[in-house]
Amino acid sequence: MKKSGTRITVAALAAVTVMTAAPAATAAASARDAALDGVWQTDGYGTIITVDGDRLRYFDMTAISCLAGVMSAKRQGGPGSFVADDGSRQMAIRLQGRQRARLRYVGAVGEIGLRRLPALPARCSVKAPAADPVTVFDVFWTTFAENYPFFATKGVDWQAVRDRYRPRIGPNTTDAELFGVLRDILKDLGDAHTALRAGKDEFARPLRPGTRPLDGLPAFMALNKRVLDLVEKHDVQKPLTTWGRGVIGYADLPGGFGYLRLAAFDGYADGCFAANAKELDRALDEIFTPARTSRLKGLVLDVRLNFGGYDALGIQLASRLTGRPYVAYAKQARNDPSDPTRFTRARPTWVRPAGSRYTGPIALLTSPLTISAGETFSQAMTARTPAPRRIGDATQGAFSDFLWRTLPNGWTFALPNERFLTRQGTTFDVTGIPPQDRIAETLSDGELAAGRDAAFERALAYLRTAGRSGR
């Protein structure tokens, strides 16, 4: 502590005050953290969470099993804050009295309700269940039966699936044979938010039937380049300026229009959500400058090739495209293992104007390769005023976060358990968000080979009309 003669300076006095208060504040924070210790049951999600000092653990529950979850975490940051041991996720738990709490994943939208339990269920305290092929199959099938929301929408009889596939499994079934059976079930289900991992083998995103197949990231990037090459032939005033490792791109177009594309809502920077959010903000500040937005007559917003990421980044972008707050959608999760029609209370997600922004006409380009956070963003845009004109083809229909689970043999798999509702209470899950102007050839090899981009041309035609009508 610095002194001036015998007087304590104002700065030093402030330091003394902080130092005196710090132990009390630390003690209060420690007390709040200690109050989290215990066993918590999620509302939906089939999960139990235990907090013991600095450690947080997950348990995957079904009627026939309790297995250590895919993720564990350690306390880091402010009160109730945790980071996954592998650094992949950040989360925070906020107490609501002694018996209730809410869990929020950083970068996701909405929260998960928690209810305190007196103790860990007995089946979680015994040794792990057998890892034989039949048990693995049963845990896999039961997890879907208790959590998957879309059997009726897809017209799937899940009991019939069990009756068809379980006889193919026996005590001598090899890992390769078991993997093949589970993979075939996911293929039949055709849901892009299912996945199966077995060591180095992975089967993920068995896209909706009829979707253009993409065999991994290289195929996605090759298609992405073909589309961008076409866009840049449409008299753009200069090549796209890019941010976020090329995932975000913008170009001015003739006639006072602009073109903005996002290939994902992730991957802009090293690190988790905060680094990505910072880079997205930087890009949007440079795109939506006051000078540009004052002259911009319309915006082509292209998410036709968008494999998703953080839903909250979609909300962050939407906040730069509105002059008034509005509800983007409401999110809920299936929460009754025996009744697929029962869900948690729908919780709204708001879009609030932020930063430099554009509020004029928008043409939104989508396709079946608009997936996950690309779709939740598109759904947020449908609620905007004025609403964008949707052009292209229906999105994939996979909105939910992945619910990752473990199997007794150490494999992991994922499924969706949530749905996203419009203000009218409907959902685009499974079907995807339909376009208003459907371009059947969107992203087809024939169109690309001929150097055409009918959706892009339709977007410009719409914006010219919208500008004249003042929409």
Side-chain angles (χ1 to χ4, degrees):
M1 182 164 53
K2 184 178 180 180
K3 296 184 180 180
S4 176
T6 58
R7 293 185 300 112
I8 299 178
T9 65
V10 173
L13 181 58
V16 171
T17 303
V18 171
M19 291 170 64
T20 303
T26 301
S30 296
R32 288 194 298 271
D33 283 345
L36 288 177
D37 282 6
V39 181
W40 299 91
Q41 171 75 60
T42 59
D43 185 7
Y45 302 87
T47 302
I48 286 179
I49 295 172
T50 63
V51 180
D52 183 7
D54 289 340
R55 299 300 303 168
L56 182 148
R57 296 182 64 198
Y58 284 72
F59 292 87
D60 301 337
M61 300 289 295
T62 73
I64 63 171
S65 62
C66 176
L67 295 164
V70 173
M71 185 169 58
S72 59
K74 56 192 173 188
R75 206 182 285 274
Q76 184 174 311
S81 297
F82 297 84
V83 175
D85 289 339
D86 62 3
S88 62
R89 302 200 77 174
Q90 299 167 280
M91 62 216 75
I93 299 178
R94 176 170 51 89
L95 283 169
Q96 294 184 317
R98 293 185 57 82
Q99 302 302 316
R100 300 280 177 175
R102 304 208 66 81
L103 169 68
R104 179 178 64 85
Y105 290 104
V106 176
V109 296
E111 296 180 321
I112 298 173
L114 302 177
R115 175 175 57 88
R116 191 185 291 276
L117 298 180
L120 197 63
R123 66 179 180 274
C124 300
S125 303
V126 300
K127 67 178 182 179
D132 64 278
V134 173
T135 301
V136 170
F137 178 94
D138 287 346
V139 171
F140 177 90
W141 183 89
T142 303
T143 301
F144 272 87
E146 295 181 353
N147 294 281
Y148 191 74
F150 307 125
F151 292 127
T153 307
K154 284 180 169 289
V156 172
D157 182 337
W158 195 237
Q159 182 61 49
V161 170
R162 176 185 171 86
D163 294 343
R164 175 184 173 188
Y165 283 100
R166 196 173 188 272
R168 293 168 55 180
I169 306 298
N172 297 320
T173 299
T174 67
D175 282 352
E177 291 168 339
L178 177 60
F179 185 86
V181 168
L182 302 187
R183 178 196 59 207
D184 288 349
I185 291 174
L186 296 188
K187 280 186 176 180
D188 289 350
L189 200 56
D191 191 311
H193 270 183
T194 62
L196 175 64
R197 290 178 179 169
K200 295 181 180 180
D201 293 323
E202 179 177 355
F203 177 83
R205 292 192 168 177
L207 299 176
R208 188 181 70 207
T211 303
R212 176 194 181 105
L214 284 180
D215 187 15
L217 182 61
F220 175 85
M221 295 306 296
L223 179 59
N224 187 57
K225 184 179 185 305
R226 293 178 71 185
V227 173
L228 287 181
D229 287 346
L230 279 184
V231 168
E232 291 191 345
K233 290 178 181 178
H234 282 78
D235 297 324
V236 297
Q237 295 176 0
K238 59 182 180 180
L240 267 69
T241 302
T242 63
W243 297 261
R245 296 170 170 167
V247 182
I248 306 165
Y250 177 84
D252 288 316
L253 303 173
F257 304 113
Y259 172 81
L260 174 62
R261 61 172 289 278
L262 293 97
F265 286 102
D266 193 6
Y268 309 152
D270 290 332
C272 292
F273 174 75
N276 282 271
K278 182 177 179 180
E279 179 64 9
L280 178 58
D281 262 341
R282 184 177 78 87
L284 298 177
D285 284 342
E286 294 180 17
I287 294 167
F288 297 125
T289 62
R292 177 174 280 125
T293 55
S294 67
R295 67 174 184 268
L296 200 59
K297 297 178 182 178
L299 180 67
V300 180
L301 184 50
D302 191 350
V303 290
R304 286 177 293 178
L305 290 169
N306 188 304
F307 265 23
Y310 292 104
D311 290 331
L313 292 183
I315 296 299
Q316 185 174 327
L317 173 56
S319 74
R320 300 298 196 99
L321 299 170
T322 184
R324 66 189 74 177
Y326 67 92
V327 174
Y329 41 70
K331 180 180 178 180
Q332 59 183 181
R334 183 179 164 185
N335 70 341
D336 187 331
S338 62
D339 185 351
T341 68
R342 297 286 297 275
F343 288 82
T344 61
R345 182 166 66 88
R347 296 185 175 276
T349 295
W350 283 82
V351 175
R352 305 184 191 279
S356 57
R357 55 191 182 270
Y358 167 76
T359 60
I362 292 176
L364 179 67
L365 305 186
T366 64
S367 85
L369 296 178
T370 308
I371 302 176
S372 193
E375 296 187 87
T376 62
F377 166 73
S378 298
Q379 184 165 345
M381 293 304 296
T382 67
R384 175 190 188 259
T385 303
R389 187 72 178 180
R390 303 189 305 276
I391 300 171
D393 206 346
T395 64
Q396 178 67 202
F399 293 74
S400 171
D401 294 338
F402 281 101
L403 178 63
W404 280 101
R405 305 300 289 258
T406 53
L407 287 167
N409 64 350
W411 295 355
T412 59
F413 68 107
L415 67 157
N417 69 313
E418 302 164 332
R419 63 183 184 180
F420 286 67
L421 304 177
T422 67
R423 285 178 293 187
Q424 293 74 36
T426 59
T427 176
F428 297 116
D429 286 287
V430 178
T431 62
I433 301 171
Q436 293 157 302
D437 297 341
R438 184 171 184 269
I439 310 296
E441 60 208 15
T442 296
L443 302 182
S444 69
D445 285 331
E447 180 186 43
L448 295 174
R452 298 192 310 269
D453 191 342
F456 184 86
E457 294 289 355
R458 183 73 62 85
L460 288 179
Y462 163 74
L463 291 175
R464 294 185 189 107
T465 303
R468 289 195 296 270
S469 65
R471 283 184 285 178

